[in-house]
mmCIF file of all heavy atoms in Angstrom:
data_model
loop_
_atom_site.group_PDB
_atom_site.id
_atom_site.type_symbol
_atom_site.label_atom_id
_atom_site.label_comp_id
_atom_site.label_asym_id
_atom_site.label_seq_id
_atom_site.Cartn_x
_atom_site.Cartn_y
_atom_site.Cartn_z
ATOM 1 N N HIS D 132 2.165 17.412 4.961
ATOM 2 C CA HIS D 132 1.834 17.556 6.375
ATOM 3 C C HIS D 132 0.392 18.039 6.519
ATOM 4 O O HIS D 132 -0.362 17.535 7.352
ATOM 5 C CB HIS D 132 2.833 18.526 7.026
ATOM 6 C CG HIS D 132 2.723 18.624 8.496
ATOM 7 N ND1 HIS D 132 2.995 19.775 9.185
ATOM 8 C CD2 HIS D 132 2.355 17.722 9.453
ATOM 9 C CE1 HIS D 132 2.814 19.581 10.467
ATOM 10 N NE2 HIS D 132 2.430 18.353 10.660
ATOM 11 N N LEU D 133 0.001 19.000 5.689
ATOM 12 C CA LEU D 133 -1.375 19.497 5.728
ATOM 13 C C LEU D 133 -2.363 18.367 5.430
ATOM 14 O O LEU D 133 -3.371 18.221 6.130
ATOM 15 C CB LEU D 133 -1.560 20.635 4.718
ATOM 16 C CG LEU D 133 -2.987 21.162 4.574
ATOM 17 C CD1 LEU D 133 -3.479 21.779 5.871
ATOM 18 C CD2 LEU D 133 -3.064 22.155 3.430
ATOM 19 N N ALA D 134 -2.079 17.573 4.409
ATOM 20 C CA ALA D 134 -2.975 16.472 4.050
ATOM 21 C C ALA D 134 -3.136 15.496 5.212
ATOM 22 O O ALA D 134 -4.213 14.919 5.396
ATOM 23 C CB ALA D 134 -2.454 15.753 2.809
ATOM 24 N N MET D 135 -2.100 15.327 6.031
ATOM 25 C CA MET D 135 -2.199 14.454 7.208
ATOM 26 C C MET D 135 -2.882 15.153 8.380
ATOM 27 O O MET D 135 -3.550 14.507 9.184
ATOM 28 C CB MET D 135 -0.805 13.989 7.641
ATOM 29 C CG MET D 135 -0.187 13.010 6.676
ATOM 30 S SD MET D 135 1.357 12.269 7.268
ATOM 31 C CE MET D 135 2.316 13.692 7.761
ATOM 32 N N MET D 136 -2.709 16.458 8.491
ATOM 33 C CA MET D 136 -3.254 17.194 9.630
ATOM 34 C C MET D 136 -4.771 17.379 9.559
ATOM 35 O O MET D 136 -5.417 17.476 10.605
ATOM 36 C CB MET D 136 -2.580 18.561 9.756
ATOM 37 C CG MET D 136 -1.144 18.494 10.245
ATOM 38 S SD MET D 136 -0.975 17.685 11.852
ATOM 39 C CE MET D 136 -1.833 18.851 12.906
ATOM 40 N N LEU D 137 -5.342 17.441 8.378
ATOM 41 C CA LEU D 137 -6.786 17.668 8.281
ATOM 42 C C LEU D 137 -7.584 16.583 9.015
ATOM 43 O O LEU D 137 -8.473 16.909 9.806
ATOM 44 C CB LEU D 137 -7.216 17.824 6.824
ATOM 45 C CG LEU D 137 -6.657 19.065 6.110
ATOM 46 C CD1 LEU D 137 -7.092 19.081 4.652
ATOM 47 C CD2 LEU D 137 -7.032 20.352 6.812
ATOM 48 N N PRO D 138 -7.289 15.289 8.827
ATOM 49 C CA PRO D 138 -8.013 14.276 9.610
ATOM 50 C C PRO D 138 -7.692 14.336 11.110
ATOM 51 O O PRO D 138 -8.545 14.016 11.942
ATOM 52 C CB PRO D 138 -7.553 12.950 9.003
ATOM 53 C CG PRO D 138 -7.099 13.297 7.630
ATOM 54 C CD PRO D 138 -6.504 14.676 7.748
ATOM 55 N N ILE D 139 -6.492 14.765 11.467
ATOM 56 C CA ILE D 139 -6.155 14.899 12.884
ATOM 57 C C ILE D 139 -7.006 15.998 13.518
ATOM 58 O O ILE D 139 -7.468 15.864 14.654
ATOM 59 C CB ILE D 139 -4.642 15.149 13.055
ATOM 60 C CG1 ILE D 139 -3.865 13.890 12.663
ATOM 61 C CG2 ILE D 139 -4.309 15.582 14.483
ATOM 62 C CD1 ILE D 139 -2.369 14.076 12.567
ATOM 63 N N HIS D 140 -7.235 17.067 12.782
ATOM 64 C CA HIS D 140 -8.115 18.137 13.244
ATOM 65 C C HIS D 140 -9.515 17.563 13.518
ATOM 66 O O HIS D 140 -10.144 17.880 14.533
ATOM 67 C CB HIS D 140 -8.155 19.251 12.187
ATOM 68 C CG HIS D 140 -9.017 20.407 12.532
ATOM 69 N ND1 HIS D 140 -9.859 20.985 11.613
ATOM 70 C CD2 HIS D 140 -9.172 21.123 13.666
ATOM 71 C CE1 HIS D 140 -10.494 21.990 12.184
ATOM 72 N NE2 HIS D 140 -10.103 22.102 13.428
ATOM 73 N N ALA D 141 -9.988 16.705 12.635
ATOM 74 C CA ALA D 141 -11.307 16.092 12.827
ATOM 75 C C ALA D 141 -11.343 15.249 14.092
ATOM 76 O O ALA D 141 -12.314 15.311 14.863
ATOM 77 C CB ALA D 141 -11.672 15.243 11.605
ATOM 78 N N VAL D 142 -10.298 14.482 14.339
ATOM 79 C CA VAL D 142 -10.263 13.628 15.519
ATOM 80 C C VAL D 142 -10.318 14.468 16.797
ATOM 81 O O VAL D 142 -10.989 14.112 17.770
ATOM 82 C CB VAL D 142 -9.019 12.712 15.498
ATOM 83 C CG1 VAL D 142 -8.818 12.005 16.827
ATOM 84 C CG2 VAL D 142 -9.146 11.694 14.382
ATOM 85 N N MET D 143 -9.646 15.611 16.794
ATOM 86 C CA MET D 143 -9.681 16.486 17.960
ATOM 87 C C MET D 143 -11.120 16.933 18.236
ATOM 88 O O MET D 143 -11.593 16.900 19.375
ATOM 89 C CB MET D 143 -8.775 17.697 17.722
ATOM 90 C CG MET D 143 -8.649 18.636 18.918
ATOM 91 S SD MET D 143 -9.857 19.965 18.971
ATOM 92 C CE MET D 143 -9.437 20.911 17.542
ATOM 93 N N HIS D 144 -11.841 17.311 17.178
ATOM 94 C CA HIS D 144 -13.229 17.741 17.371
ATOM 95 C C HIS D 144 -14.136 16.576 17.742
ATOM 96 O O HIS D 144 -15.101 16.758 18.494
ATOM 97 C CB HIS D 144 -13.740 18.487 16.139
ATOM 98 C CG HIS D 144 -13.256 19.894 16.098
ATOM 99 N ND1 HIS D 144 -13.787 20.891 16.886
ATOM 100 C CD2 HIS D 144 -12.244 20.472 15.393
ATOM 101 C CE1 HIS D 144 -13.151 22.021 16.658
ATOM 102 N NE2 HIS D 144 -12.200 21.795 15.769
ATOM 103 N N LEU D 145 -13.849 15.386 17.256
ATOM 104 C CA LEU D 145 -14.653 14.230 17.656
ATOM 105 C C LEU D 145 -14.521 13.975 19.152
ATOM 106 O O LEU D 145 -15.488 13.558 19.803
ATOM 107 C CB LEU D 145 -14.269 12.991 16.848
ATOM 108 C CG LEU D 145 -14.669 13.043 15.378
ATOM 109 C CD1 LEU D 145 -14.158 11.805 14.643
ATOM 110 C CD2 LEU D 145 -16.168 13.200 15.213
ATOM 111 N N GLY D 146 -13.355 14.248 19.712
ATOM 112 C CA GLY D 146 -13.193 14.147 21.163
ATOM 113 C C GLY D 146 -14.113 15.112 21.884
ATOM 114 O O GLY D 146 -14.689 14.784 22.934
ATOM 115 N N GLN D 147 -14.287 16.303 21.321
ATOM 116 C CA GLN D 147 -15.205 17.276 21.913
ATOM 117 C C GLN D 147 -16.652 16.798 21.786
ATOM 118 O O GLN D 147 -17.465 16.989 22.699
ATOM 119 C CB GLN D 147 -15.019 18.640 21.266
ATOM 120 C CG GLN D 147 -13.656 19.248 21.558
ATOM 121 C CD GLN D 147 -13.443 20.562 20.818
ATOM 122 O OE1 GLN D 147 -14.386 21.262 20.470
ATOM 123 N NE2 GLN D 147 -12.188 20.890 20.595
ATOM 124 N N ILE D 148 -16.965 16.171 20.666
ATOM 125 C CA ILE D 148 -18.320 15.644 20.479
ATOM 126 C C ILE D 148 -18.570 14.484 21.447
ATOM 127 O O ILE D 148 -19.696 14.294 21.918
ATOM 128 C CB ILE D 148 -18.566 15.275 19.001
ATOM 129 C CG1 ILE D 148 -18.589 16.568 18.157
ATOM 130 C CG2 ILE D 148 -19.856 14.480 18.833
ATOM 131 C CD1 ILE D 148 -18.653 16.359 16.661
ATOM 132 N N GLN D 149 -17.522 13.730 21.812
ATOM 133 C CA GLN D 149 -17.675 12.675 22.822
ATOM 134 C C GLN D 149 -18.151 13.266 24.148
ATOM 135 O O GLN D 149 -18.952 12.658 24.855
ATOM 136 C CB GLN D 149 -16.350 11.931 23.043
ATOM 137 C CG GLN D 149 -16.056 10.900 22.002
ATOM 138 C CD GLN D 149 -16.945 9.664 22.110
ATOM 139 O OE1 GLN D 149 -17.714 9.464 23.051
ATOM 140 N NE2 GLN D 149 -16.845 8.812 21.119
ATOM 141 N N VAL D 150 -17.674 14.461 24.479
ATOM 142 C CA VAL D 150 -18.103 15.110 25.720
ATOM 143 C C VAL D 150 -19.598 15.443 25.633
ATOM 144 O O VAL D 150 -20.335 15.271 26.604
ATOM 145 C CB VAL D 150 -17.245 16.362 26.009
ATOM 146 C CG1 VAL D 150 -17.767 17.120 27.222
ATOM 147 C CG2 VAL D 150 -15.786 15.966 26.196
ATOM 148 N N ILE D 151 -20.038 15.898 24.478
ATOM 149 C CA ILE D 151 -21.475 16.162 24.280
ATOM 150 C C ILE D 151 -22.255 14.858 24.425
ATOM 151 O O ILE D 151 -23.303 14.823 25.072
ATOM 152 C CB ILE D 151 -21.730 16.819 22.909
ATOM 153 C CG1 ILE D 151 -21.026 18.173 22.823
ATOM 154 C CG2 ILE D 151 -23.236 16.967 22.663
ATOM 155 C CD1 ILE D 151 -20.973 18.765 21.412
ATOM 156 N N ARG D 152 -21.735 13.783 23.846
ATOM 157 C CA ARG D 152 -22.402 12.476 23.951
ATOM 158 C C ARG D 152 -22.579 12.100 25.420
ATOM 159 O O ARG D 152 -23.629 11.609 25.830
ATOM 160 C CB ARG D 152 -21.606 11.384 23.219
ATOM 161 C CG ARG D 152 -21.556 11.566 21.699
ATOM 162 C CD ARG D 152 -20.850 10.384 21.031
ATOM 163 N NE ARG D 152 -21.609 9.167 21.239
ATOM 164 C CZ ARG D 152 -22.743 8.856 20.614
ATOM 165 N NH1 ARG D 152 -23.259 9.667 19.714
ATOM 166 N NH2 ARG D 152 -23.374 7.727 20.873
ATOM 167 N N ARG D 153 -21.552 12.329 26.217
ATOM 168 C CA ARG D 153 -21.639 11.996 27.647
ATOM 169 C C ARG D 153 -22.675 12.860 28.348
ATOM 170 O O ARG D 153 -23.440 12.362 29.168
ATOM 171 C CB ARG D 153 -20.269 12.127 28.300
ATOM 172 C CG ARG D 153 -19.339 11.019 27.870
ATOM 173 C CD ARG D 153 -17.966 11.145 28.437
ATOM 174 N NE ARG D 153 -17.121 10.126 27.815
ATOM 175 C CZ ARG D 153 -16.125 9.534 28.413
ATOM 176 N NH1 ARG D 153 -15.803 9.845 29.652
ATOM 177 N NH2 ARG D 153 -15.415 8.633 27.781
#
Side-chain angles (χ1 to χ4, degrees):
H132 188 212
L133 175 63
M135 290 188 309
M136 288 302 294
L137 295 177
I139 291 170
H140 180 223
V142 169
M143 184 269 295
H144 281 284
L145 290 176
Q147 294 176 25
I148 292 173
Q149 280 288 352
V150 174
I151 298 168
R152 293 185 64 74
R153 288 177 187 212

